[in-house]
Amino acid sequence: MTTSPLAQAVGDLEEETAVTLVQDKLAKGEAALSILEELQAGMNIVGERFEEGEYFLSELIYAADIFKKAGAPLQEELKSATQSSYGTLVLGTVKNDIHDFGKDIVATVMGSNGIKVIDLGVNVEHQAFVDAVKESGATLVGMSCLLTTVFDDMKDAVQTLKDAGLRDQVTVLIGGGPVDQATADYVGADYYCKTAQDGVIAAKKVLGVN
Amino acid sequence: MADAHEPNAGPGGPGGFAPPPLFFERMQRLQTAVACGTPDRVPLSLVMDLFAANTMGVSYPDFVSSVDIAGQTMLGAMEKLGDVDSIQFPTYAPDVLGMLWLAPMKLPGRDLPEHSQWQMDEQVRIQREDYDKILEMGWSPWFGQYIGKHLGAAAAAGQALQEAGPRWTMEYMKKGYVVFSPLTVDHPFEHLAGARTVKEFTLDLFQIPDKVQAVLDLIMAEKREQARQFVRAVGQPGLGYWVGSWRTAPEFLSPRLWNRFVWPYMKELVEIVAEEGGTPVLHYDANWDREIERLKDLPARRCVLELDGKTDIFRAKKILAGHMCILGDVHPAMLTLGTVADVKAYCGRLLDEVGPDGYIMAMGCAIPPDAKFENVKAMVDSVKR
Ligand code: B12
């Protein structure tokens, strides 16, 4: 897979180039979702360089800001969809993890596909998922997790739903950079979602929507 | 002057009484270690706060309410631990941390539940426009009005410590304990990063680097003189001054940023303290592996490198042997969750591989509040083998 100029700009921390490229692409009528994928590929470059010791926390913080800024004009298009709601998703980044871009995209994309989202934010206590499900009667729970070191927290969060007697009533979707099917099996989730779009497909399947 | 060097707890001086011989014996031990020599036995130097409260059965709200209760409690814990050469500061008031990070503190019993550790209330308190204001007004005038707005409790704590520090230092001396490093000289980066928050300040470093540097230079222009005068006025050769690193650790910043915004200022502050006869104590939290070589550029056999368990202390020793004394680094988790046997084994390794020359046995950073007493005691006793 070759790296697109946009992904490269994000990876190289070239803020202005990244912002301009997104605007050009939008002007040319490219779909917001595909532009988003390129931005995300750029974040993967950043992650690789961090792992290799070329980038440090300072670069992660700057990359995160570039991602947010460059991606801002996409929000409109990602949001513009139906108003009615097919069901409710309680969403959050699990305890001890504060990464929120992926989760925010999930919230936007789900919302734009007619699913009501209750966003609990980041570093979410296990019990908060339970409380929100009880309060809203949600049938979907989404957990985002970007740190392998926090998989056990995600496992505990699922267990807390079980302990509260809610596990049969909800479908648990999980996602985030290092998460895969094995993670889903390990933590006891129902669906592993590689992208926010996968999440929508899974949610619609569960809710019986086409 | 509080901005250049708020005290850990004020200077202390021998005032009209003769400390016991034990005091001089311990002082000798510490000075030999600082000069990278081999003392009769490896000395100890502890940092503790709420651990002392737990050890002495003092409640957290009481401990943080008065510098005298804190001093009494910490001295009590030292006596309970027995043969400890030194403590780094003699009393404490956590509000004073506000002078370092320009943010108010939340304290147990005041802003938090009674049995919680204090926290810094980090928020974006200055905007990018404030950099221009600082450049216009000058650092001290700007900081004066900032204290008025946000740091009343911090300034009061600083004053209380300046008054109580010398008094309590004397109480420790009477009992034969050395107060090793009661004063601080702060890096301007720590101030700005605290007032801006780490995230916003990091973005500033990428997006408006020249302005940030101008502000750091302006603060430094005042600090370099203040620090020099201060160490001179205290006038106790060999007394330790923390030149610490928290947000400036290489772990958080790429070399490009670190070389520009951290190291030049750090190096100069250390040199000033040393030139004036103080002992710079490099209280470096987080991982410094990448830049250990750099410490060879600091004055030889004058500084103490205090590590918290994240830096590879054994590797640091290999690089700095004969050049810089190392202090640390029994890990907080080991003191809390480990067993006496774990602590003994690790301390043995420290004594063999980081000691016996140019080494001071200690915890990493500070003894955690919930450390097991027997584990701390095992660390203390380890040097007597
Ligand atoms: C930006 C970033 C940060 C920023 C976060 C800013 C923020 N507000 O989110 C900051 C600087 C704060 C940060 C901090 C840290 N980070 Co970080 N960070 C990243 C980075 C570069 C990008 C993450 C990102 O935003 N990606 C873009 C988004 C859009 O992708 P995504 O989250 O995967 O989401 C998509 C899908 O996965 C999916 N999805 C995600 N969640 C969910 C949930 C559901 C329900 C569904 C359906 C779908 C779904 O949908 C999204 C869109 O398709 C990654 C590298 C990488 N390649 O991921 C490292 C990375 C995740 N971080 C890492 C590390 C180590 C850290 C720190 C520990 C660093 C440190 N030394 O302090 C801290 C941890 C702080 C904490 N307690 O959480 C490591 C994790 C390694 C590991 N063992 O797991 C990574 C992988 C970097 C690396 N290669 O080493 N980080």
Side-chain angles (χ1 to χ4, degrees), chain A residues 36 40 43-48 50-51 57 60-61 63-64 67-68 89 91-92 96-103 105-106 110 141-149 173-178 193-200, chain B residues 251-252:
Chain A
L36 194 66
Q40 218 171 306
M43 292 303 255
N44 288 339
I45 300 176
V46 172
E48 279 160 22
F50 177 81
E51 218 154 72
L57 193 62
L60 288 192
I61 292 174
F67 181 88
K68 207 166 208 164
L89 169 81
L91 178 68
N96 290 320
D97 189 342
I98 58 151
H99 293 86
D100 64 3
F101 298 116
K103 173 195 64 73
I105 292 172
V106 172
M110 289 281 187
V141 172
M143 297 182 187
S144 186
C145 176
L146 275 280
L147 299 168
T148 52
T149 47
L173 319 178
I174 64 168
C193 309
K194 189 167 166 46
T195 65
Q197 203 52 38
D198 284 356
V200 171
Chain B
E251 179 177 352
F252 305 130

Side-chain angles (χ1 to χ4, degrees), chain A residues 13 15 50 53-59 61-63 65-66 68-69, chain B residues 198-200 202-203 205-207 250-257 290:
Chain A
L13 306 178
E15 181 177 344
F50 177 81
E54 183 185 340
Y55 282 177
F56 290 79
L57 193 62
S58 47
E59 281 67 29
I61 292 174
Y62 188 35
D65 195 60
I66 296 174
K68 207 166 208 164
K69 246 186 222 150
Chain B
V198 169
K199 182 178 159 231
E200 295 302 322
T202 304
L203 295 178
L205 297 181
F206 282 104
Q207 291 168 338
E251 179 177 352
F252 305 130
L253 296 158
S254 53
R256 193 171 67 81
L257 297 175
R290 192 183 79 210

Side-chain angles (χ1 to χ4, degrees), chain A residues 7-89:
Chain A
Q8 196 63 49
V10 173
D12 292 342
L13 306 178
E14 283 168 11
E15 181 177 344
E16 277 169 39
T17 314
V19 170
T20 316
L21 283 174
V22 169
Q23 279 158 357
D24 292 352
K25 281 169 183 289
L26 276 176
K28 277 189 215 138
E30 272 190 44
L33 261 176
S34 95
I35 302 175
L36 194 66
E37 269 168 29
E38 288 185 49
L39 286 175
Q40 218 171 306
M43 292 303 255
N44 288 339
I45 300 176
V46 172
E48 279 160 22
R49 291 185 182 172
F50 177 81
E51 218 154 72
E52 287 158 8
E54 183 185 340
Y55 282 177
F56 290 79
L57 193 62
S58 47
E59 281 67 29
L60 288 192
I61 292 174
Y62 188 35
D65 195 60
I66 296 174
F67 181 88
K68 207 166 208 164
K69 246 186 222 150
L74 305 176
Q75 296 306 316
E76 274 309 297
E77 190 181 326
L78 291 172
K79 264 191 205 125
S80 64
T82 56
Q83 291 290 349
S84 67
S85 122
Y86 300 120
T88 303
L89 169 81

